[in-house]
Amino acid sequence: MRLFCVFFISLLSLFTNAGTMDSWFRDFKRSATPTQLYAFLHAMPKGGDLHHHLTGSGYPQWWYALATDKDSNGGYEYYTRVSPSLCQGLSPDTFGPDNPFMLFRTVQASTWRRLPDCEKTHYRSLSALSDEQKAAFLNSVRLDKQHEGRNEFFETHWQRLNELTRNPYIVGQLLVKNMQAYQTENVRYLETQVNVHGMMDATGSPLSAETALSILLEALNSPTAKATGVTVKFQYALLRFLPNAEEQLATIYAFVDGHRKDYVGINMVGREDNDKGHPLRFLPALRMLRHKYPAIPLAFHAGEVDEPNHHVRDTLLLGADRIGHGLNTITDPETLLLMRHGPYLIEINLISNLLLEYVEDFQSHPFGEYLRLGIPVALSTDDRGMWGATLTDEFYVAVRAFNLSWTELRTLTENSIEYSFLAKPQKYALKSSLSASLDEFEDKAPQSNFISVSVPTDRFICRREPSLCSAPKE
Ligand SMILES: [Zn+2]
């Protein structure tokens, strides 16, 4: 009986706290300046970032610093195209994937040395760029202009980074930088998509996936990374529209099965407006692989398209437990009903969806509807390096555009651990520590003024949606 009373009282105090905090937060939202609201969300304990592409999460200045520092990048040197070349003359291939007019396509020195002499003259060592060229290089992998959108992102950013993404030392250091950045934002878990096949050494020879992974793990287990306190697990990503994607999926299954300590899931990525990668294409391959291997958690991109279709439903049929983006679930009522209070989570990437033109504005984003219908959702950052954003920015946009309550903020945060692919004991430990930190934050927040955190001034989202960064209407 006494135990029951203690339990009842603590449950009561939990409800009272949550209710008090909701009421305090409602008033705080009305009176806070944008800076105070941002600082509150920055300080708020956060769970995990569940939708994160590691090579898309390097800010351009990180890429540049790592690419030009042989001591931290494994001794590699890089060259980037600084003037358009027509060395081969005009041909039908001129506007193909290796478009010679694409500036800042970057290759490692071993590749540059093999280029024809005429081509070489159009490249310059990254370390020798003029200030103007360096600024242009940095901007070439940022989605910061009004006219830049989906095509710029899918068709030029990756092609420019090119061989930089095939250096496991750079990728490892990007991971450490992400962990450090997340520590400052009070994020405690990262489930990042990172591949290790196709890496090269500084001479241009292929590195085995095992070697590349060991280089990545060395960075992950370094004292600097450990000091952040951020737990990291990997997902392996399959580029879905490739002709041999089924073969690659089999290779990925075998690899992830052999490295379950570090790899906790598989993802399926790539432009969904390329129908060659449609979900049901992979049903036979996945059924065969499920026959062969113990279960591997799947988090697939789906519904990141403009038109209505049943791809989210089809992706659940593929066996996915989490859906990346899930934007067009809103147009599929049966699937929407299936997901209400269900076991499947939609990973929401608000800033990505706006900048890649999948929504006109946040008014037309279905996030609020999903959240308030009881569909499990969590906020994540996708390729934040290319839009200069942070997880705090996602929360900031969500609060401003959807008037989130404290209880909703807490649910989003807790979902990001609850629906992670962590093993049960680790998940339980993270959930408990997050819950304790959130309780403590609830106690302290009303006494804080939230102006001590410096807010980044160059936030692209403020330029795209200035109203979100101006003072709220009284
Ligand atoms: Zn994504």
Side-chain angles (χ1 to χ4, degrees), residues 9 24 35 44 54 60 101-104 110 113 123 180 189 230 274 287 293 296 313 348 354 421 427 442 448 471:
I9 290 165
W24 176 83
T35 306
M44 182 182 83
L54 187 50
F101 295 114
M102 184 189 288
L103 299 183
F104 304 113
S110 57
R113 281 189 211 102
Y123 282 76
Q180 289 173 319
Y189 177 59
V230 178
N274 181 340
R287 285 186 171 164
Y293 297 101
I296 293 177
R313 184 195 64 188
I348 301 287
L354 181 79
F421 291 156
K427 186 187 285 191
E442 283 183 3
S448 309

Side-chain angles (χ1 to χ4, degrees), residues 78-314:
Y78 290 93
Y79 286 77
T80 195
R81 189 189 272 143
V82 292
S83 57
S85 72
L86 265 183
C87 296
Q88 316 292 330
L90 281 171
S91 81
D93 292 335
T94 297
F95 298 100
D98 290 327
N99 176 353
F101 295 114
M102 184 189 288
L103 299 183
F104 304 113
R105 176 176 181 269
T106 303
V107 296
Q108 60 183 58
S110 57
T111 302
W112 177 78
R113 281 189 211 102
R114 287 195 296 271
L115 291 175
D117 286 344
C118 170
E119 284 286 347
K120 275 187 190 155
T121 62
H122 294 280
Y123 282 76
R124 192 159 191 190
S125 166
L126 263 188
S127 310
L129 296 186
S130 67
D131 289 348
E132 197 181 0
Q133 286 168 333
K134 182 182 164 187
F137 169 84
L138 297 175
N139 286 332
S140 79
V141 284
R142 277 183 185 133
L143 206 65
D144 57 336
K145 307 285 185 308
Q146 203 67 37
H147 65 272
E148 292 175 341
R150 196 181 309 176
N151 286 340
E152 174 81 5
F153 171 76
F154 283 115
E155 311 299 337
T156 72
H157 281 188
W158 302 103
Q159 292 74 355
R160 284 177 177 138
L161 290 174
N162 194 27
E163 291 185 350
L164 287 171
T165 65
R166 298 177 66 186
N167 176 339
Y169 296 95
I170 288 189
V171 176
Q173 290 310 308
L174 284 180
L175 177 60
V176 176
K177 285 180 179 293
N178 268 283
M179 292 166 76
Q180 289 173 319
Y182 278 138
Q183 181 192 15
T184 68
E185 283 190 84
N186 299 302
V187 178
R188 53 197 70 201
Y189 177 59
L190 172 62
E191 202 166 288
T192 187
Q193 295 164 50
V194 57
N195 293 2
V196 288
H197 289 82
M199 297 283 186
M200 289 194 294
D201 72 12
T203 69
S205 301
L207 284 171
S208 73
E210 294 293 342
T211 305
L213 179 60
S214 68
I215 293 167
L216 206 59
L217 291 178
E218 200 175 319
L220 177 63
N221 295 316
S222 65
T224 316
K226 290 253 182 235
T228 64
V230 178
T231 302
V232 174
K233 294 291 172 190
F234 302 148
Q235 291 180 13
Y236 214 109
L238 170 75
L239 201 52
R240 64 197 309 154
F241 50 71
L242 296 178
N244 66 344
E246 288 85 349
E247 259 171 68
Q248 291 206 12
L249 184 60
T251 305
I252 290 171
Y253 246 79
F255 190 79
V256 170
D257 181 57
H259 297 87
R260 287 178 184 257
K261 181 174 164 285
D262 302 302
Y263 275 94
V264 294
I266 294 175
N267 213 310
M268 211 179 265
V269 307
R271 288 189 82 138
E272 291 177 46
D273 49 13
N274 181 340
D275 290 338
K276 288 193 165 39
H278 74 94
L280 289 184
R281 165 180 167 182
F282 297 95
L283 191 56
L286 278 163
R287 285 186 171 164
M288 199 189 70
L289 292 164
R290 265 197 283 272
H291 181 83
K292 197 170 168 187
Y293 297 101
I296 293 177
L298 307 175
F300 290 166
H301 287 62
E304 191 192 13
V305 278
D306 299 309
E307 78 278 12
N309 60 31
H310 296 294
H311 283 186
V312 172
R313 184 195 64 188
D314 296 347

